[in-house]
Amino acid sequence: QVQLVESGGGLVQSGGSLVLSCAASGSIFRINTVDWYRQAPGKQRELVASMSTDGTTSYAGSVKGRFTTSVDNAKYTVYLQMKNLKPEDTAIYSCNVEVLLGARDGSTWNGWGQGTQVTVSS
């Protein structure tokens, strides 16, 4: 069984930085992909960053140049580095991760972190 534990949220002033992480544990071969979502009160959930199996990343226009996602497969952990944060970045951030369970059969597992609150004050 695979578990994801998300951490790193908090309160930061405008212009500040935070790093979110999602750590996977269990019988894992490697992390394949990660998508980072956020949802602000009264707004729809928004995809802000993605990383594919080959390491290709993509970002929403609103965060491009400020957010960076990465994977450390030695630790089975994914990261979202956020800099130059703005009040409009305030939201609950969640990771969605696909894990490769076995190299031979190619079986995968997909799951969500529990979400973490990011609040940016002006």
Side-chain angles (χ1 to χ4, degrees):
Q1 187 174 357
V2 180
Q3 290 186 325
L4 279 176
V5 177
E6 190 170 348
S7 61
L11 173 64
V12 64
Q13 288 188 332
S14 182
S17 300
L18 282 173
V19 179
L20 308 183
S21 63
C22 272
S25 62
S27 184
I28 301 167
F29 184 75
R30 72 155 189 246
I31 292 177
N32 274 350
T33 65
V34 60
D35 294 313
W36 289 94
Y37 292 84
R38 68 185 180 187
Q39 188 163 22
K43 294 189 176 181
Q44 287 191 331
R45 188 174 65 185
E46 174 189 19
L47 175 63
V48 296
S50 297
M51 175 177 275
S52 62
T53 306
D54 66 359
T56 302
T57 56
S58 61
Y59 301 92
S62 58
V63 307
K64 212 167 199 176
R66 300 188 297 120
F67 288 15
T68 303
T69 188
S70 60
V71 174
D72 182 346
N73 265 308
K75 298 180 180 179
Y76 303 130
T77 300
V78 297
Y79 300 96
L80 183 67
Q81 296 178 302
M82 307 183 293
K83 62 181 182 181
N84 191 21
L85 283 161
K86 306 175 181 180
E88 51 264 41
D89 294 318
T90 296
I92 295 174
Y93 285 73
S94 302
C95 63
N96 180 257
V97 175
E98 180 185 276
V99 168
L100 181 63
L101 298 174
R104 290 186 179 181
D105 62 9
S107 57
T108 60
W109 175 91
N110 184 283
W112 289 86
Q114 77 274 22
T116 187
Q117 177 70 47
V118 171
T119 303
V120 185
S121 63
S122 57

